[in-house]
Amino acid sequence: MVSALGMTAVLGGCGVTGGSADVTLKLVAADYGDSAANSSEKYWDKLVDEYEADHPGVKIDVSVYSWNDIDRKVREMVAAGDPPDMAQIGAYADYAAQNQLYKADDLLSIPVQADFVGQLASAGQVKGVQYGMPFASSTRVLFYNKTLFAKAGITPPKTWDDLADDADALKDEGVKYPYALPLGPEEAQAETMQWMLSGGGGYTDTVDSYGIDSPENIDTFSWLKNELVAKDLTGPVAPGELNRAAAFSAFAKGEVGMLNGHPSLMKIAAKRGVEYGMVPTPGKEGPSKSTLGVADWMTAFRKNGHRDQVGDFLDFVYSEKNVLAFSREYDLLPVTSSASRTMAASDRDRHLKPFLEELVSSELYPVGKTSWADVSAQVKKQIGKAVAPSGSPSGVLGHLQAVATRAESAE
């Protein structure tokens, strides 16, 4: 997902070696791979080897964790008083509010910082100051299995009712997951927001206050519970126990009729020979007017110092060559304007063009709120209960709203 920081980006190699003493920079990064064969460890190993060859006084120590664990790992390191120099994580604002992070303009060269997609750069700000450097981005569309749809004699859905009807037809054909609804802890906040947007809601209201228990959101999750989950149209695994990676894997095995997916699912499905189609996310009465945009963030902690070395390394990380290599490896979207233009014009990347076009008008998580990390963590833990047989959508969403309100008040 990283994007090519540009054609004008200043590459690493500016002679920053930490003086006569060696410097070791610790980086904690997330794993975007779906197997050991394409683990992000391989990407970072190659990049670090190249950087260290030109910077003999600087060592980069990279630890890669799954998305299930990385935010918690970084929190534990910070709480123990031993933060990494850099962390590539899902939320940054709470650390910025505690003055634990470097500002982006204290680290990056001007061409690199200026090349970020404007919407993403703005989302990386707290009170007008950028602390979160977008590292990866994606949008979401509805994927469907063309073979299973043809067998069931159905067409891709445009509305919620279409989706329920299609799921029912797929169930009659013995499809294991007519619709895969991953509300497990890995990335439940994404599936949640995608459905909220399709119902005309979202995490926040028009004045940027939390509105998790809005009537629109309650209606959305009531519909999910009653029309999909209660009718056994979401598969043998309960939504609250189904993680995104498992849902993607099941789609690649031909076991899923439909699910929300981001660009990397294309490669996963193609490797297994699944014929898939993609359509805009169905909404209550037609295609959803809003698309979920997701960005992950590179951050740099102040405690250990090494500002110059960190900045030089990040300029190298965000070089166009490295950003494009990452984006293409994992079929994710670039976060810089130059890389977006390069990919949009490249025949090699034509399969990503629909996602690139949607990024500009997508809606992102409220990551600029310092409370978002806590709220997101609670969504991951609780939202699956909203659609469980004994669950109450209004009760669960009301609980999450109370959590969000307390978190906001504590700022």
Side-chain angles (χ1 to χ4, degrees):
M1 294 167 157
V2 172
S3 74
L5 282 149
M7 307 195 225
T8 57
V10 178
L11 302 185
C14 299
V16 178
T17 62
S20 59
D22 287 349
V23 171
T24 297
L25 303 178
K26 294 184 179 180
L27 165 63
V28 175
D31 194 351
Y32 291 84
D34 61 340
S35 68
N38 71 340
S39 168
S40 294
E41 289 183 8
K42 293 188 175 182
Y43 170 81
W44 286 111
D45 285 347
K46 182 178 179 181
L47 185 148
V48 166
D49 285 347
E50 183 177 349
Y51 183 80
E52 290 180 347
D54 290 334
H55 300 77
V58 179
K59 300 295 181 185
I60 312 295
D61 179 8
V62 182
S63 299
V64 175
Y65 296 99
S66 78
W67 276 110
N68 285 334
D69 301 322
I70 187 164
D71 288 321
R72 174 178 56 81
K73 288 283 188 181
V74 172
R75 282 184 175 280
E76 289 173 352
M77 295 171 74
V78 172
D82 186 28
D85 295 282
M86 295 163 282
Q88 188 255 304
I89 48 181
Y92 63 86
D94 51 340
Y95 299 126
Q98 297 166 17
N99 197 34
Q100 294 177 316
L101 301 179
Y102 283 115
K103 301 173 184 177
D105 57 9
D106 287 339
L107 299 167
L108 301 174
S109 63
I110 292 174
V112 168
Q113 188 176 4
D115 200 28
F116 287 131
V117 172
Q119 180 189 21
L120 299 179
S122 296
Q125 296 177 355
V126 175
K127 297 181 179 178
V129 178
Q130 185 178 1
Y131 295 92
M133 293 162 275
F135 182 82
S137 67
S138 68
T139 55
R140 300 290 197 273
V141 297
L142 185 79
F143 283 71
Y144 66 96
N145 184 309
K146 286 186 173 181
T147 302
L148 297 178
F149 266 60
K151 186 178 179 182
I154 55 179
T155 57
K158 295 181 179 179
T159 68
W160 287 357
D161 287 343
D162 293 343
L163 188 149
D165 290 343
D166 286 349
D168 191 54
L170 291 164
K171 180 184 176 183
D172 289 343
E173 292 293 332
V175 176
K176 190 174 182 179
Y177 296 89
Y179 179 82
L181 183 64
L183 296 179
E186 181 185 4
E187 204 191 31
Q189 81 283 3
E191 186 75 9
T192 296
M193 184 168 173
Q194 185 77 350
W195 275 99
M196 286 178 170
L197 291 173
S198 73
Y203 284 116
T204 56
D205 58 24
T206 55
V207 294
D208 201 36
S209 296
Y210 282 112
I212 296 174
D213 63 347
S214 68
E216 293 85 357
N217 292 340
I218 291 173
D219 286 348
T220 295
F221 275 85
S222 296
W223 186 89
L224 279 173
K225 178 185 177 182
N226 297 328
E227 301 301 324
L228 290 187
V229 181
K231 295 180 179 180
D232 294 325
L233 300 178
T234 56
V237 177
E241 299 174 5
L242 181 65
N243 281 328
R244 178 195 63 181
F248 280 15
S249 178
F251 186 81
K253 294 175 183 176
E255 299 174 344
V256 173
M258 300 171 280
L259 81 169
N260 287 324
H262 53 61
S264 65
L265 181 56
M266 294 186 293
K267 179 178 288 187
I268 297 170
K271 282 182 178 179
R272 298 293 295 269
V274 171
E275 292 191 25
Y276 63 88
M278 299 180 292
V279 295
T281 303
K284 197 170 186 178
E285 299 177 354
S288 179
K289 297 178 182 179
S290 300
T291 300
L292 171 64
V294 176
D296 303 321
W297 306 96
M298 179 68 76
T299 59
F301 286 86
R302 293 159 47 93
K303 183 171 183 179
N304 299 327
H306 310 315
R307 185 189 73 175
D308 291 342
Q309 292 85 358
V310 169
D312 188 71
F313 176 66
L314 290 178
D315 271 358
F316 178 75
V317 167
Y318 281 113
S319 68
E320 182 167 0
K321 179 187 74 170
N322 289 328
V323 169
L324 281 175
F326 188 91
S327 301
R328 287 166 169 165
E329 173 65 28
Y330 299 106
D331 274 333
L332 294 168
L333 303 183
V335 296
T336 58
S337 298
S338 60
S340 295
R341 291 192 297 268
T342 297
M343 294 186 80
S346 171
D347 188 61
R348 172 181 178 181
D349 302 306
R350 63 185 181 278
H351 58 298
L352 289 173
K353 190 172 183 180
F355 297 93
L356 285 167
E357 291 173 344
E358 290 190 8
L359 182 61
V360 177
S361 60
S362 63
E363 292 193 31
L364 279 72
Y365 304 129
V367 289
K369 289 180 173 292
T370 58
S371 57
W372 172 242
D374 289 336
V375 173
S376 177
Q378 287 300 311
V379 170
K380 291 179 181 182
K381 291 180 181 179
Q382 303 292 336
I383 196 63
K385 298 175 183 177
V387 298
S390 60
S392 164
S394 61
V396 172
L397 294 175
H399 170 72
L400 291 171
Q401 176 66 25
V403 168
T405 301
R406 288 196 299 271
E408 282 281 90
S409 298
E411 290 183 12

mmCIF file of all heavy atoms in Angstrom, residues 69-85:
data_model
loop_
_atom_site.group_PDB
_atom_site.id
_atom_site.type_symbol
_atom_site.label_atom_id
_atom_site.label_comp_id
_atom_site.label_asym_id
_atom_site.label_seq_id
_atom_site.Cartn_x
_atom_site.Cartn_y
_atom_site.Cartn_z
ATOM 1 N N ASP A 69 -1.910 -8.378 16.244
ATOM 2 C CA ASP A 69 -1.054 -8.142 17.401
ATOM 3 C C ASP A 69 -0.320 -6.807 17.421
ATOM 4 O O ASP A 69 0.098 -6.355 18.483
ATOM 5 C CB ASP A 69 0.003 -9.260 17.495
ATOM 6 C CG ASP A 69 -0.605 -10.643 17.614
ATOM 7 O OD1 ASP A 69 -1.627 -10.765 18.309
ATOM 8 O OD2 ASP A 69 -0.065 -11.588 17.004
ATOM 9 N N ILE A 70 -0.149 -6.180 16.271
ATOM 10 C CA ILE A 70 0.840 -5.106 16.193
ATOM 11 C C ILE A 70 0.483 -3.888 17.043
ATOM 12 O O ILE A 70 1.340 -3.347 17.757
ATOM 13 C CB ILE A 70 1.099 -4.687 14.729
ATOM 14 C CG1 ILE A 70 2.267 -3.683 14.695
ATOM 15 C CG2 ILE A 70 -0.148 -4.155 14.063
ATOM 16 C CD1 ILE A 70 2.862 -3.485 13.342
ATOM 17 N N ASP A 71 -0.774 -3.450 17.015
ATOM 18 C CA ASP A 71 -1.114 -2.266 17.813
ATOM 19 C C ASP A 71 -0.918 -2.535 19.304
ATOM 20 O O ASP A 71 -0.431 -1.680 20.051
ATOM 21 C CB ASP A 71 -2.546 -1.835 17.530
ATOM 22 C CG ASP A 71 -2.700 -1.209 16.146
ATOM 23 O OD1 ASP A 71 -1.795 -0.460 15.736
ATOM 24 O OD2 ASP A 71 -3.708 -1.472 15.476
ATOM 25 N N ARG A 72 -1.290 -3.739 19.728
ATOM 26 C CA ARG A 72 -1.106 -4.105 21.141
ATOM 27 C C ARG A 72 0.381 -4.176 21.487
ATOM 28 O O ARG A 72 0.801 -3.705 22.559
ATOM 29 C CB ARG A 72 -1.772 -5.456 21.420
ATOM 30 C CG ARG A 72 -1.516 -5.981 22.834
ATOM 31 C CD ARG A 72 -2.247 -7.291 23.056
ATOM 32 N NE ARG A 72 -1.914 -8.297 22.075
ATOM 33 C CZ ARG A 72 -0.806 -9.051 22.133
ATOM 34 N NH1 ARG A 72 0.059 -8.889 23.119
ATOM 35 N NH2 ARG A 72 -0.574 -9.961 21.210
ATOM 36 N N LYS A 73 1.186 -4.747 20.600
ATOM 37 C CA LYS A 73 2.628 -4.857 20.862
ATOM 38 C C LYS A 73 3.256 -3.474 21.048
ATOM 39 O O LYS A 73 4.060 -3.261 21.972
ATOM 40 C CB LYS A 73 3.310 -5.578 19.693
ATOM 41 C CG LYS A 73 3.024 -7.068 19.617
ATOM 42 C CD LYS A 73 3.843 -7.837 20.644
ATOM 43 C CE LYS A 73 3.708 -9.337 20.429
ATOM 44 N NZ LYS A 73 4.472 -10.107 21.443
ATOM 45 N N VAL A 74 2.888 -2.547 20.175
ATOM 46 C CA VAL A 74 3.460 -1.208 20.280
ATOM 47 C C VAL A 74 3.000 -0.527 21.561
ATOM 48 O O VAL A 74 3.787 0.139 22.252
ATOM 49 C CB VAL A 74 3.101 -0.374 19.038
ATOM 50 C CG1 VAL A 74 3.533 1.089 19.217
ATOM 51 C CG2 VAL A 74 3.762 -0.962 17.797
ATOM 52 N N ARG A 75 1.733 -0.694 21.911
ATOM 53 C CA ARG A 75 1.239 -0.108 23.161
ATOM 54 C C ARG A 75 2.015 -0.643 24.360
ATOM 55 O O ARG A 75 2.349 0.104 25.286
ATOM 56 C CB ARG A 75 -0.250 -0.406 23.334
ATOM 57 C CG ARG A 75 -1.156 0.464 22.494
ATOM 58 C CD ARG A 75 -2.621 0.182 22.790
ATOM 59 N NE ARG A 75 -3.475 1.097 22.063
ATOM 60 C CZ ARG A 75 -3.741 2.341 22.433
ATOM 61 N NH1 ARG A 75 -3.201 2.816 23.540
ATOM 62 N NH2 ARG A 75 -4.521 3.112 21.712
ATOM 63 N N GLU A 76 2.284 -1.943 24.344
ATOM 64 C CA GLU A 76 3.024 -2.551 25.450
ATOM 65 C C GLU A 76 4.445 -1.998 25.518
ATOM 66 O O GLU A 76 4.970 -1.724 26.608
ATOM 67 C CB GLU A 76 3.053 -4.074 25.283
ATOM 68 C CG GLU A 76 1.694 -4.741 25.525
ATOM 69 C CD GLU A 76 1.700 -6.213 25.184
ATOM 70 O OE1 GLU A 76 2.713 -6.692 24.607
ATOM 71 O OE2 GLU A 76 0.702 -6.902 25.472
ATOM 72 N N MET A 77 5.084 -1.822 24.367
ATOM 73 C CA MET A 77 6.440 -1.270 24.335
ATOM 74 C C MET A 77 6.448 0.154 24.874
ATOM 75 O O MET A 77 7.330 0.538 25.649
ATOM 76 C CB MET A 77 6.981 -1.329 22.907
ATOM 77 C CG MET A 77 7.175 -2.742 22.367
ATOM 78 S SD MET A 77 7.562 -2.784 20.594
ATOM 79 C CE MET A 77 9.263 -2.207 20.622
ATOM 80 N N VAL A 78 5.468 0.949 24.469
ATOM 81 C CA VAL A 78 5.387 2.335 24.931
ATOM 82 C C VAL A 78 5.127 2.374 26.433
ATOM 83 O O VAL A 78 5.759 3.150 27.173
ATOM 84 C CB VAL A 78 4.291 3.091 24.161
ATOM 85 C CG1 VAL A 78 4.070 4.478 24.766
ATOM 86 C CG2 VAL A 78 4.662 3.209 22.682
ATOM 87 N N ALA A 79 4.213 1.534 26.893
ATOM 88 C CA ALA A 79 3.892 1.496 28.320
ATOM 89 C C ALA A 79 5.088 1.089 29.158
ATOM 90 O O ALA A 79 5.244 1.535 30.303
ATOM 91 C CB ALA A 79 2.727 0.540 28.570
ATOM 92 N N ALA A 80 5.954 0.241 28.591
ATOM 93 C CA ALA A 80 7.146 -0.218 29.303
ATOM 94 C C ALA A 80 8.292 0.792 29.231
ATOM 95 O O ALA A 80 9.376 0.548 29.768
ATOM 96 C CB ALA A 80 7.599 -1.565 28.742
ATOM 97 N N GLY A 81 8.045 1.909 28.558
ATOM 98 C CA GLY A 81 9.082 2.927 28.441
ATOM 99 C C GLY A 81 10.130 2.616 27.403
ATOM 100 O O GLY A 81 11.214 3.206 27.409
ATOM 101 N N ASP A 82 9.832 1.703 26.488
ATOM 102 C CA ASP A 82 10.798 1.293 25.476
ATOM 103 C C ASP A 82 10.156 1.293 24.087
ATOM 104 O O ASP A 82 10.044 0.256 23.440
ATOM 105 C CB ASP A 82 11.329 -0.105 25.808
ATOM 106 C CG ASP A 82 12.452 -0.537 24.883
ATOM 107 O OD1 ASP A 82 13.172 0.349 24.369
ATOM 108 O OD2 ASP A 82 12.601 -1.752 24.658
ATOM 109 N N PRO A 83 9.709 2.461 23.618
ATOM 110 C CA PRO A 83 9.068 2.501 22.302
ATOM 111 C C PRO A 83 10.082 2.266 21.187
ATOM 112 O O PRO A 83 11.270 2.560 21.355
ATOM 113 C CB PRO A 83 8.507 3.919 22.235
ATOM 114 C CG PRO A 83 9.437 4.712 23.084
ATOM 115 C CD PRO A 83 9.812 3.802 24.219
ATOM 116 N N PRO A 84 9.623 1.753 20.054
ATOM 117 C CA PRO A 84 10.533 1.629 18.914
ATOM 118 C C PRO A 84 10.812 3.015 18.340
ATOM 119 O O PRO A 84 10.120 3.987 18.663
ATOM 120 C CB PRO A 84 9.731 0.775 17.919
ATOM 121 C CG PRO A 84 8.301 1.119 18.225
ATOM 122 C CD PRO A 84 8.250 1.315 19.725
ATOM 123 N N ASP A 85 11.829 3.101 17.511
ATOM 124 C CA ASP A 85 12.074 4.375 16.835
ATOM 125 C C ASP A 85 10.962 4.671 15.841
ATOM 126 O O ASP A 85 10.544 5.821 15.682
ATOM 127 C CB ASP A 85 13.426 4.332 16.113
ATOM 128 C CG ASP A 85 14.575 4.203 17.079
ATOM 129 O OD1 ASP A 85 14.950 5.213 17.693
ATOM 130 O OD2 ASP A 85 15.077 3.077 17.247
#
